[in-house]
Amino acid sequence: MYFVDTIEVPGLGNRSYLAGGERTAVAVDPPRDIDRVIAAAAQRGVRISHVVETHVHNDYVTGGLELARTTGAAYLVPAGARVSYARVPVHDGDRHEVDAAAGLVLRALATPGHTPHHTSYALEQDGSAVAVFTGGSLLIGTVGRPDLVEPRLTEDLARAQHASAHRLAAELPDETAVLPTHGFGSFCASGQAGGGETTTIGKEKADNAALVRDLDTFVAGLLAALDDIPAYYTHMGPANAAGPAPVDLTPPAVADADEIAARLAAGEWVVDLRHRVAFAAGHVAGSFNFEAGGQLATYLAWLIPWGKPVTLLAESADQLAAAQRELVRVGIERPAAAATGNPAHWVPEGTDLASFPRATFTDLAERPRDGVVVLDVRRASERSAGFIEGSVHIPVHSLRDRLGEVPAGQVWVHCAGGMRAAVAASLLDAVGRDVVAVDDSFDSAVRAGLVVRSREAGQERAA
């Protein structure tokens, strides 16, 4: 018998895995907070004998090195990866016994494309593949993006992705479970991953673009679908190659109202983790709203100047602890300080909380447009499918550096659902702009009577 446990990392759109038999197990692409992996092993009553990386990750800081050190496991890393620590270099075809009693062996398959050294691992039981850990190679309905290493390599890596997908499809049985690391909201996926939470080689043969399109058609489509790369990705690869340090998840120092004000005055970032509705109703002037329940790590790491001290404001100790855990995964090591509880206690006595209104697309449609700026902060790929006529487009991840480009007037800011609009509204509010956060689904814009144009079709859609 064997097992495969999935360790979800939803804030980053990734998965890690623990797989093994009754005695020993292997951890695949573990997150930075390794206590979750150790707890999963303890629950199974197994020892982690191997820790493996499919590639040097560009979207998060790995916990692999520390997990191997802590457990005494062999640390398997593709031989072609340039790293500065001791590891077991993995070559194509290498086999590593995971659990002898269960007949479990890992077989390495070179699958370049997401990175030049990318390696997948087939989990074989008594010589037959039962699962394959595909990292950023074969995903559900798509593949990992090929443009994160070096722009000059992008097209060659895209072609390699096609070849790697076909290799997996040719060498593994149709019933083999495909277990990717990326593709559940990760920006490491190329375009939109397919539907569903599980898949097999057979299903991917029928549906995956890399397996149903010829090479040139696939590459053209893959390159055309590439989206913006989160800015913090620049720092993840080097951190993983150097060898990440252990994490410290102990509570940060408590900041009172005067310290929060002083940190703001010093130009540091004060981040309010509360839901956007609560933030809009009352917040510390100058603070920024990144919801703890959204893609906190991705968007905060994307927008914050790298290395800038950050103070976290949370509604509870649990919310703060969860945010710390999210942030260490992307290299934001320790908050400078933190505060929890009632936001009225986060400002000096006699100081009012700031606020701004929220609205819907119906409210926008009913508002006279004189003096109103409609700011769309979605990504370019989203906007190309439909945008409000006359709106200004600045993606949220570039807004911090382009605030001066927002025209004069009351700014009604929207995204696809409300979370990114709240981030953008907080950035604008912090510099004194008159802002309204549109907290609504973009699908409601047409129903509200707003003119929505499609760049692709060149057509108008209105209720």
Side-chain angles (χ1 to χ4, degrees):
M1 294 293 293
Y2 73 94
F3 72 88
V4 177
D5 289 341
T6 300
I7 299 169
E8 299 280 358
V9 191
L12 297 177
N14 287 333
R15 286 178 176 175
S16 177
Y17 301 95
L18 182 74
E22 293 185 0
R23 298 179 180 178
T24 50
V26 56
V28 181
D29 289 343
R32 184 89 182 278
D33 46 329
I34 63 171
D35 58 329
R36 300 181 65 208
V37 185
I38 293 172
Q43 188 170 6
R44 286 283 184 179
V46 295
R47 176 178 63 85
I48 297 174
S49 60
H50 296 78
V51 177
V52 305
E53 304 283 8
T54 55
H55 58 294
V56 174
H57 303 282
N58 289 290
D59 65 324
Y60 68 94
V61 181
T62 182
L65 180 62
E66 185 59 22
L67 181 60
R69 286 173 175 166
T70 301
T71 62
Y75 190 30
L76 278 55
V77 178
R82 297 181 178 178
V83 297
S84 58
Y85 45 80
R87 89 287 195 201
V88 178
V90 177
H91 300 85
D92 184 45
D94 284 356
R95 294 175 180 271
H96 294 269
E97 187 176 77
V98 175
D99 190 302
L104 293 177
V105 172
L106 273 185
R107 177 165 66 96
L109 298 114
T111 48
H114 187 48
T115 67
H117 60 264
H118 191 284
T119 300
S120 298
Y121 299 87
L123 181 66
E124 298 179 344
Q125 184 173 45
D126 298 327
S128 296
V130 293
V132 58
F133 302 105
T134 55
S137 182
L138 189 67
L139 311 185
I140 300 179
T142 186
V143 296
R145 59 193 299 169
D147 60 330
L148 302 180
V149 178
E150 160 62 55
R152 291 173 295 182
L153 297 178
T154 297
E155 183 171 346
D156 287 343
L157 289 176
R159 292 179 176 275
Q161 281 288 51
H162 188 269
S164 292
H166 280 263
R167 180 189 182 185
L168 292 171
E171 293 191 18
L172 300 174
D174 283 357
E175 61 271 20
T176 306
V178 176
L179 304 173
T181 299
H182 305 313
F184 309 95
S186 168
F187 280 88
C188 277
S190 297
Q192 293 294 318
E197 292 293 309
T198 62
T199 191
T200 62
I201 288 291
K203 289 179 182 178
E204 292 310 303
K205 282 170 137 178
D207 300 325
N208 194 294
L211 296 172
V212 299
R213 297 179 183 172
D214 66 78
L215 174 59
D216 290 338
T217 301
F218 166 75
V219 170
L222 181 63
L223 298 182
L226 293 175
D227 214 330
D228 298 322
I229 300 173
Y232 72 91
Y233 277 24
T234 301
H235 306 282
M236 300 297 96
N240 288 323
V247 299
D248 179 1
L249 293 175
T250 58
V254 176
D256 61 14
D258 288 338
E259 182 176 351
I260 292 169
R263 290 187 176 279
L264 281 168
E268 297 182 12
W269 273 39
V270 174
V271 171
D272 192 323
L273 301 168
R274 295 175 301 146
H275 190 273
R276 56 186 177 270
V277 173
F279 182 87
H283 56 270
V284 178
S287 63
F288 304 133
N289 183 212
F290 290 81
E291 291 184 13
Q295 288 180 286
L296 167 67
T298 294
Y299 281 101
L300 179 54
W302 198 339
L303 270 72
I304 193 171
W306 198 252
K308 175 80 72 173
V310 59
T311 294
L312 300 178
L313 307 179
E315 63 184 18
S316 68
D318 287 345
Q319 186 181 68
L320 174 62
Q324 280 186 257
R325 185 175 288 272
E326 289 268 343
L327 295 178
V328 296
R329 294 172 182 156
V330 292
I332 299 178
E333 301 294 332
R334 290 283 297 165
T340 60
N342 187 340
H345 299 156
W346 301 341
V347 293
E349 188 174 351
T351 301
D352 293 330
L353 293 170
S355 64
F356 52 76
R358 296 166 47 253
T360 65
F361 282 110
T362 297
D363 297 326
L364 177 59
E366 295 173 350
R367 172 74 161 81
R369 297 298 284 273
D370 291 344
V372 168
V373 177
V374 179
L375 177 63
D376 181 349
V377 296
R378 296 174 300 161
R379 297 188 301 279
S381 59
E382 298 172 278
R383 183 173 170 86
S384 67
F387 59 93
I388 296 172
E389 183 178 49
S391 61
V392 176
H393 180 228
I394 303 177
V396 69
H397 57 263
S398 61
L399 181 60
R400 176 178 62 84
D401 296 323
R402 299 176 60 187
L403 289 168
E405 298 178 30
V406 181
Q410 186 180 59
V411 184
W412 287 57
V413 58
H414 80 85
C415 60
M419 185 273 289
R420 287 173 292 171
V423 174
S426 71
L427 293 173
L428 291 160
D429 177 71
V431 295
R433 294 299 301 266
D434 181 7
V435 64
V436 178
V438 179
D439 192 359
D440 200 357
S441 168
F442 187 74
D443 293 340
S444 302
V446 170
R447 294 194 296 270
L450 293 164
V451 176
V452 176
R453 295 189 179 276
S454 171
R455 188 174 300 163
E456 294 176 347
Q459 297 175 343
E460 253 182 34
R461 300 199 308 273

